[in-house]
Amino acid sequence: MVRPRPYRAAEVLRAAEVLAVAALLALTAACGSRLPESDFETDDRSPAPTRTTGEPLHVGIITSATSPVGGSAFTGPRDGAKAYFDRLNARGGIDGRRVEVHLCDDGGSGVGDNECVHQLVDEQNVVALVATTALDYAGASRVSGAGVPDIGGQPIGAAYDTYPHLYSIYGSSAPRDGTPGWDGKLYGGTEVYRYFRREHGARTAAVVSYNQSASAAYARLVERGLRAEGYEVVTEQVDFALPNFRAVAADLKQQGADLVFDAIDGHGNARLCQAMDEVGADVTAKVTNVQNWTSAVAENYRDAPRCRNALWATGSSRNFEDTGHPAVREFREGTEGLKTHSQWQLEGWAAARWFTDAAKSCAQDGITRECVDDYVNRSDGYTAGGLLLPVDFEPSPEPPRTSETCLSVARWQDDEGWVSQGDMNRTCFTVPQLAYEP
């Protein structure tokens, strides 16, 4: 089996896309002053209070559940993690101790995030944070300063490539010394573009963005990656306030685009797909990211059946539809009460399992922040039972120039849902790494 490097280059780029789309929909989400550092001071690496056997373990989950981006945009990891802990507690918890989960909605703002960190770290004395999904992770430095392990968070922004004790669900090889990435730069690979060129013969790719700075900046990053892989690139930009998706779709048809990438929101994507169907613009793949890898595709794209069945998603975790795999089957059984399923839910479930494995390893000598942190920091090829591509956090003093990176790929089909395209542990490419500033 080809083993991927620990650095999840593709996920950094996908996180940049999520952040770009969030920014263009929530231009004021991070406005306002943040609370002063002194309001949330904690002792460095202070362990959670010692608890006697049988007392609950306190875990926190910070989510931008309500924000200008929309109520369901960031809740998947939270729902997956909560479902895992519910199932764990029903089976006796960890060493006879139930996991008490404290949820905090930061409202998608930096001020709200700092308040959540204060509440969970200082007042609730959580032993760890799990599956953090924050639009503006303003409290990240305080979490790190307190030595609280933040396990399996979604890297929206640069926090997980900046601070120690913060562990992205995808791993990181950045130094994490207080500066983002390497001297303020992050790096992302081109393996997604390489995949479609090698496996499907794609040669022409379109990139659709809004005439808005965050959207346009991400689109330029995608264009760089596509050109590095030898694609002919067609750029399409629409007005954010009054987008003419039909004109874009007509041009995509005329240009003969094989692939369509985008830096627009979910609603815009659905309208673009509808317009593509109306003008007869058929493509090899309309490529989306892990955030949109959900079971709600049929409803969200109900007016675009042809484009809907050309949707592809890429990521670094096993397809939530792969119920033949025991770890996925366990996830589906544990989340059967949820209205829809998503890849982010599966990754939240994996984050909760990661914490549980760490806590079990510490049970004999005491489940403290420091012990849990040491376990996760030493992760070498952790997969959450096969749900994730191997993850670790071995820092690299120099930024990567190339990286061997694997990816999970799935295609939507109406009669089957998301269908996996090959083994994610064997769909691997050695690709260049492109620098960008977060």
Side-chain angles (χ1 to χ4, degrees):
M1 181 183 76
V2 178
R3 187 179 185 279
R5 281 195 52 174
Y7 190 61
R8 286 290 163 263
E11 291 304 334
V12 174
L13 288 177
R14 293 187 194 100
E17 179 179 5
V18 172
L19 185 59
V21 174
L24 66 91
L25 290 177
L27 297 177
T28 61
C31 293
S33 60
R34 296 176 179 174
L35 300 181
E37 295 281 340
S38 59
D39 286 355
F40 301 103
E41 288 180 352
T42 58
D43 294 331
D44 183 55
R45 293 184 61 80
S46 56
T50 302
R51 304 180 188 277
T52 59
T53 301
E55 290 188 358
L57 290 166
H58 294 265
V59 169
I61 302 177
I62 299 175
T63 309
S64 297
T66 58
S67 76
V69 180
S72 62
F74 295 103
T75 55
R78 177 202 68 186
D79 295 344
K82 182 66 165 56
Y84 183 92
F85 288 130
D86 287 345
R87 185 180 178 92
L88 178 69
N89 287 334
R91 297 181 173 187
I94 299 172
D95 196 34
R97 301 170 65 178
R98 67 183 300 274
V99 176
E100 187 169 322
V101 180
H102 302 271
L103 306 180
C104 193
D105 174 13
D106 68 9
S109 75
V111 170
D113 193 78
N114 274 320
E115 290 174 348
C116 279
V117 169
H118 177 54
Q119 174 186 325
L120 297 176
V121 172
D122 302 330
E123 296 180 355
Q124 298 293 344
N125 288 303
V126 297
V127 71
L129 298 178
V130 175
T132 299
T133 312
L135 178 60
D136 182 359
Y137 198 179
S141 63
R142 297 184 177 91
V143 174
S144 177
V148 176
D150 177 344
I151 303 170
Q154 291 292 337
I156 303 169
Y160 289 94
D161 287 298
T162 302
Y163 301 108
H165 314 301
L166 272 59
Y167 303 99
S168 158
I169 193 69
Y170 309 123
S172 175
S173 62
R176 295 187 297 141
D177 56 5
T179 300
W182 291 262
D183 297 323
K185 292 184 178 180
L186 301 182
Y187 290 76
T190 60
E191 59 272 13
V192 173
Y193 319 129
R194 179 75 59 87
Y195 170 81
F196 284 102
R197 182 166 65 87
R198 287 199 175 177
E199 300 298 320
H200 300 283
R203 291 294 181 268
T204 302
V207 183
V208 183
S209 65
Y210 289 125
N211 61 341
Q212 189 275 338
S213 60
S215 177
Y218 178 73
R220 288 192 295 271
L221 188 62
V222 174
E223 291 167 30
R224 285 178 57 205
L226 287 165
R227 294 187 196 281
E229 288 296 332
Y231 283 86
E232 179 181 343
V233 180
V234 177
T235 60
E236 304 282 355
Q237 192 171 86
V238 293
D239 186 86
F240 181 45
L242 297 170
N244 186 347
F245 288 114
R246 190 177 181 89
V248 170
D251 194 52
L252 294 178
K253 180 180 180 181
Q254 183 178 352
Q255 297 284 352
D258 301 312
L259 308 177
V260 177
F261 294 86
D262 69 86
I264 61 178
D265 59 297
H267 177 66
N269 263 299
R271 292 181 61 192
L272 174 61
C273 260
Q274 183 179 356
M276 290 171 62
D277 271 20
E278 289 172 353
V279 304
D282 294 324
V283 296
T284 300
K286 170 70 179 71
V287 187
T288 189
N289 61 30
V290 68
Q291 188 188 25
N292 298 314
W293 191 340
T294 78
S295 63
V297 166
E299 172 62 22
N300 293 344
Y301 292 82
R302 60 183 179 277
D303 297 322
R306 287 202 307 275
C307 181
R308 181 176 68 233
N309 282 279
L311 286 175
W312 293 63
T314 62
S316 292
S317 53
R318 192 174 299 278
N319 183 4
F320 71 86
E321 300 271 27
D322 281 348
T323 53
H325 190 281
V328 176
R329 189 162 57 249
E330 183 180 16
F331 160 72
R332 293 299 295 267
E333 291 171 354
T335 57
E336 61 183 357
L338 297 179
K339 182 178 179 181
T340 61
H341 288 92
S342 73
Q343 205 63 18
W344 263 14
Q345 289 172 359
L346 179 141
E347 291 179 355
W349 176 281
R353 176 169 177 163
W354 202 349
F355 165 79
T356 301
D357 289 343
K360 286 180 176 178
S361 77
C362 298
Q364 183 173 351
D365 297 324
I367 302 172
T368 65
R369 292 173 177 174
E370 185 171 6
C371 182
V372 170
D373 181 81
D374 286 344
Y375 177 95
V376 180
N377 193 48
R378 294 195 309 270
S379 294
D380 182 14
Y382 184 81
T383 68
L387 294 178
L388 306 173
L389 286 168
V391 176
D392 59 43
F393 297 93
E394 182 68 29
S396 173
E398 300 295 330
R401 295 185 181 276
T402 62
S403 177
E404 183 181 46
T405 309
C406 303
L407 68 159
S408 175
V409 185
R411 179 184 181 181
W412 176 268
Q413 294 182 303
D414 280 346
D415 55 345
E416 297 182 67
W418 287 104
V419 180
S420 296
Q421 307 295 304
D423 182 347
M424 70 177 187
N425 290 293
R426 298 182 185 276
T427 307
C428 308
F429 306 91
T430 299
V431 294
Q433 303 299 300
L434 306 179
Y436 71 98
E437 294 183 359

